[in-house]
Amino acid sequence: AFTTFLCNTYGDDDTRYLIADRSIDCDSNLHKKFEILSIIMILIYPIGITTLYSYELWKHQEGIKDAQNRDNDESIQHINFLWRDYRPEFWWFE
């Protein structure tokens, strides 16, 4: 997504071309649409997914803290990949 913004001019030509593919004009309408899409993806992936995972952990924190029953609690199994390797007795190491 970040390479979408890497443009350069070559020689005497003032046209900006994408470094990854010099056949793409960075000032074209199509490239502008891809820049908007890249901004959206940059926001969704690192910010959106982190926010979603944080919310899910916060929402189900009581079930996750119950170490004796959490492996059998169906309401938190959809997020067990976020917490299954962590043990409550070692909280200070995480």
Side-chain angles (χ1 to χ4, degrees):
F2 291 106
T3 59
T4 306
F5 305 103
L6 298 176
C7 298
N8 201 359
T9 57
Y10 297 97
D12 295 335
D13 188 5
D14 289 339
T15 307
R16 295 177 332 118
Y17 294 101
L18 191 64
I19 291 175
D21 184 353
R22 294 183 188 158
S23 68
I24 298 174
D25 179 3
C26 288
D27 298 322
S28 69
N29 289 333
L30 180 62
H31 187 261
K32 296 291 181 198
K33 290 177 184 177
F34 277 106
E35 286 179 331
I36 292 169
L37 179 64
S38 293
I39 291 169
I40 292 169
M41 290 297 109
I42 289 168
L43 292 174
I44 287 176
Y45 190 73
I47 296 170
I49 291 178
T50 303
T51 303
L52 174 68
Y53 288 170
S54 297
Y55 171 74
E56 286 292 323
L57 289 169
W58 175 78
K59 185 170 106 175
H60 298 290
Q61 65 182 319
E62 294 306 318
I64 294 169
K65 287 179 186 177
D66 184 8
Q68 293 177 346
N69 297 320
R70 70 181 183 179
D71 291 331
N72 300 322
D73 187 351
E74 288 296 320
S75 68
I76 59 173
Q77 292 309 305
H78 68 286
I79 57 168
N80 76 349
F81 68 97
L82 294 172
W83 53 263
R84 73 175 160 236
D85 293 330
Y86 296 95
R87 301 289 173 244
E89 61 269 17
F90 300 118
W91 64 269
W92 62 89
F93 287 115
E94 305 304 333

